[in-house]
């Protein structure tokens, strides 16, 4: 590993295309069945907190294990379909959150490497400026703005 960078692996063009195709596929499928809530609707309908989810799970448990106790006023086919879909969505959200974390770590590694290499380029530019090589005065002056607390820079 290079001392100054993380040398993170890079995605191939084929891998990037496959990721985009997968995301596009998921978006297409989910958008065909989802309801797009306003902020107010998300607050109103999204109030099924963890305690209420446990309640739903307990009702489902009774339905499964003691069906003679279930209400005849409930559409149990719809209940089961809703329960299966919420369980499916919950596990997929967890998996997608893991993918988001992996992509975030991937990005952090490349951000870090880019920053380290940019610092090295700035040091090189300062060296060339000291050697009075044409063009480097403008480059160093332009890049110096990103180091407002460095020695020799005027505070604005």
């Amino acid at each position: 590993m290079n001392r100054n960078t993380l040398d993170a692996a890079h995605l191939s063009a084929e891998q990037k295309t496959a990721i985009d195709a997968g995301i596009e596929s998921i978006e297409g499928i989910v958008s065909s069945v989802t309801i797009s809530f306003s902020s107010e609707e998300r607050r109103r309908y999204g109030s099924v907190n963890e305690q209420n989810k446990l309640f739903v799970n307990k009702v489902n448990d009774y339905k499964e294990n003691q069906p003679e106790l279930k209400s005849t006023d409930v559409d149990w086919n719809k209940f089961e379909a809703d329960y299966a879909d919420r369980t499916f969505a919950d596990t997929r959200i967890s998996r997608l959150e893991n993918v988001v974390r992996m992509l975030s770590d991937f990005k952090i590694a490349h951000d870090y490497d880019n920053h380290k290499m940019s610092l090295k380029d700035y040091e090189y530019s300062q060296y060339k400026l000291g050697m009075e090589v044409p063009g480097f005065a403008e480059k160093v002056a332009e890049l110096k703005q990103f180091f407002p607390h460095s020695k020799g820079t005027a505070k604005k």
Side-chain angles (χ1 to χ4, degrees), residues 71-140:
S71 170
T72 56
D73 295 333
V74 172
D75 180 346
W76 290 105
N77 289 330
K78 177 160 178 24
F79 181 93
E80 287 177 10
D82 287 341
Y83 193 88
D85 281 348
R86 76 181 261 272
T87 302
F88 176 86
D90 195 42
T91 57
R92 291 343 178 259
I93 288 169
S94 179
R95 290 177 66 191
L96 289 170
E97 285 171 344
N98 189 42
V99 170
V100 168
R101 172 68 188 251
M102 289 187 292
L103 281 171
S104 179
D105 289 350
F106 176 81
K107 181 185 174 296
I108 287 168
H110 292 292
D111 283 345
Y112 180 85
D113 285 358
N114 275 160
H115 184 252
K116 284 301 208 179
M117 289 182 272
S118 294
L119 288 171
K120 191 139 306 278
D121 181 71
Y122 182 59
E123 290 171 3
Y124 173 81
S125 298
Q126 289 176 314
Y127 166 74
K128 287 298 204 177
L129 171 63
M131 301 299 291
E132 299 182 1
V133 177
F136 284 94
E138 294 82 7
K139 181 178 179 181
V140 169

Side-chain angles (χ1 to χ4, degrees), residues 1-150:
M1 181 190 304
N2 184 328
R3 297 177 126 242
N4 296 317
T5 63
L6 299 175
D7 287 335
H10 297 278
L11 290 169
S12 69
E14 293 81 17
Q15 289 170 315
K16 291 175 183 178
T17 300
I19 289 170
D20 287 342
I23 292 170
E24 192 172 306
S25 176
I26 291 169
E27 288 171 335
I29 293 166
V30 173
S31 70
S32 72
V33 296
T34 194
I35 297 170
S36 183
F37 290 120
S38 68
S39 295
E40 200 280 313
E41 290 170 325
R42 286 183 72 78
R43 278 191 300 277
R44 184 175 352 142
Y45 300 124
S47 63
V48 179
N49 60 29
E50 290 306 312
Q51 184 71 24
N52 290 336
K53 291 174 188 174
L54 292 172
F55 169 71
V56 170
N57 291 342
K58 185 53 82 175
V59 168
N60 185 64
D61 192 37
Y62 270 103
K63 176 192 66 71
E64 294 291 320
N65 296 310
Q66 293 179 286
E68 70 278 4
L69 300 178
K70 66 184 182 182
S71 170
T72 56
D73 295 333
V74 172
D75 180 346
W76 290 105
N77 289 330
K78 177 160 178 24
F79 181 93
E80 287 177 10
D82 287 341
Y83 193 88
D85 281 348
R86 76 181 261 272
T87 302
F88 176 86
D90 195 42
T91 57
R92 291 343 178 259
I93 288 169
S94 179
R95 290 177 66 191
L96 289 170
E97 285 171 344
N98 189 42
V99 170
V100 168
R101 172 68 188 251
M102 289 187 292
L103 281 171
S104 179
D105 289 350
F106 176 81
K107 181 185 174 296
I108 287 168
H110 292 292
D111 283 345
Y112 180 85
D113 285 358
N114 275 160
H115 184 252
K116 284 301 208 179
M117 289 182 272
S118 294
L119 288 171
K120 191 139 306 278
D121 181 71
Y122 182 59
E123 290 171 3
Y124 173 81
S125 298
Q126 289 176 314
Y127 166 74
K128 287 298 204 177
L129 171 63
M131 301 299 291
E132 299 182 1
V133 177
F136 284 94
E138 294 82 7
K139 181 178 179 181
V140 169
E142 185 70 26
L143 295 176
K144 192 179 279 191
Q145 69 179 314
F146 297 102
F147 303 95
H149 301 294
S150 297

